[in-house]
């Protein structure tokens, strides 16, 4: 996996940070998670890490960038995980996924978190969890003096409104973990019926 980490670093591919992916893998193990839907495969790093936890785990992952998708396919083959990782090429906005998942991991366009959360929650198991990455955006969400461009400002505003969406959500209850680029963990409220 060091090879993939190095490749991502050299080519500016925003794979999960090491502590973040290790936390996620431990969470998957501790909660006996088997079926995972990931939005944003990049080169397959996180899906390979998750599928490598044990042989019962199956991952469906979506990537819209052709080059990254192609690399992910080849990396998944390299690790002999093509039977357990189903990678879909396309824009997750347009793709309808069948099946029910124990975990939905949202790690795609930072501005689309609310949209993906709403779109894919119907694919979530009753006791399932939605985890979203990059809620800090390298500190820009907490410290606006770090914002340098209009584009960054737009992303920060969208992340803030996603956090607001989670904090006021009647169906899901969310906790945040200060790991990697900050993640959220959302579960259905027990009283929700
Ligand atoms: N989960 C990966 C990193 C994903 S980086 C890992 O940790 O290894 C985010 C990826 O999401 C990028 O490769 C980007 O092309 C993809 N992406 C962004 N918006 C998307 C969309 N609407 N549909 C599918 N993929 C998307
Ligand atoms: Mg990320």
């Amino acid at each position: 996996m060091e090879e993939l980490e190095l490749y991502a670093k050299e080519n500016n591919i925003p794979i999960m940070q090491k502590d973040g992916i290790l936390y996620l893998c431990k969470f998957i193990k501790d909660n006996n998670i088997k079926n995972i839907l990931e939005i944003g495969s990049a080169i397959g790093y996180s899906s390979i890490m998750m599928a490598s936890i044990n042989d019962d785990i199956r991952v469906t992952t979506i990537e819209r960038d052709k080059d990254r998708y192609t690399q992910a396919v080849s990396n998944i083959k390299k690790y002999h995980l093509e039977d357990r990782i189903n990678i879909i090429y396309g824009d997750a906005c347009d793709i309808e996924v069948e099946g029910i998942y124990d975990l939905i991991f949202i790690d795609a366009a930072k501005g689309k978190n609310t949209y993906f959360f709403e779109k894919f929650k119907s694919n979530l198991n009753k006791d399932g969890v939605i985890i979203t990455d990059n809620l800090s955006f390298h500190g820009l969400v907490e410290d606006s003096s770090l914002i340098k461009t209009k584009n960054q400002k737009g992303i920060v505003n969208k992340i803030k409104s996603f956090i607001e969406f989670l904090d006021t959500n009647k169906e899901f209850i969310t906790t945040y973990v200060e790991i990697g680029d900050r993640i959220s963990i959302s579960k259905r409220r027990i009283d929700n019926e």
Side-chain angles (χ1 to χ4, degrees):
M1 292 312 279
E2 268 110 65
E3 202 187 313
L4 288 190
E5 287 162 14
L6 194 68
Y7 180 88
K9 198 169 173 187
E10 282 171 354
N11 294 278
N12 284 319
I13 297 165
I15 63 167
M16 269 209 115
Q17 294 172 30
K18 194 81 193 211
D19 58 341
I21 187 66
L22 292 179
Y23 179 91
L24 189 60
C25 287
K26 187 176 184 314
F27 185 93
I28 290 166
K29 225 175 171 172
D30 291 350
N31 291 279
N32 204 21
I33 285 166
K34 301 287 181 225
N35 292 304
I36 302 166
L37 173 64
E38 175 182 70
I39 317 299
S41 336
I43 57 170
Y45 174 75
S46 54
S47 56
I48 292 169
M49 288 292 278
M50 295 189 287
S52 300
I53 299 168
N54 69 57
D55 293 349
D56 296 338
I57 294 175
R58 292 183 180 273
V59 182
T60 297
T61 181
I62 307 172
E63 176 56 51
R64 72 171 171 193
D65 181 276
K66 183 83 200 212
D67 284 350
R68 289 182 183 177
Y69 164 79
T70 307
Q71 284 177 59
V73 169
S74 115
N75 288 329
I76 291 163
K77 279 216 179 88
K78 213 189 269 174
Y79 285 85
H80 308 292
L81 288 167
E82 59 269 44
D83 292 343
R84 291 192 291 110
I85 301 177
N86 170 27
I87 178 160
I88 301 170
Y89 170 56
D91 191 323
C93 297
D94 307 327
I95 289 171
E96 299 299 331
V97 175
E98 280 180 22
I100 297 293
Y101 297 87
D102 307 316
L103 167 66
I104 297 175
F105 175 48
I106 303 174
D107 191 19
K110 295 172 187 73
K112 288 229 162 66
N113 290 336
T114 308
Y115 176 81
F116 290 138
F117 192 102
E118 291 285 56
K119 177 175 161 86
F120 292 109
K121 70 178 185 189
S122 56
N123 295 96
L124 188 68
N125 197 334
K126 195 166 143 282
D127 312 314
V129 192
I130 301 180
I131 295 185
T132 309
D133 190 30
N134 304 102
L135 296 193
S136 163
F137 193 23
H138 319 296
L140 273 64
V141 173
E142 294 87 347
D143 182 356
S144 57
S145 75
L146 298 171
I147 299 171
K148 298 279 178 287
T149 67
K150 226 175 144 180
N151 184 36
Q152 287 175 342
K153 174 106 193 120
I155 293 170
V156 166
N157 286 339
K158 284 182 178 155
I159 295 172
K160 282 186 172 165
S161 82
F162 177 61
I163 293 169
E164 176 74 19
F165 160 83
L166 293 177
D167 287 344
T168 56
N169 202 289
K170 297 214 162 51
E171 192 182 355
F172 286 84
I173 179 131
T174 297
T175 53
Y176 301 90
V177 185
E178 308 304 322
I179 197 119
D181 196 23
R182 192 169 193 240
I183 62 170
S184 58
I185 303 179
S186 309
K187 292 180 189 171
R188 284 205 176 84
R189 291 177 189 275
I190 303 162
D191 59 351
N192 188 277
E193 202 58 272

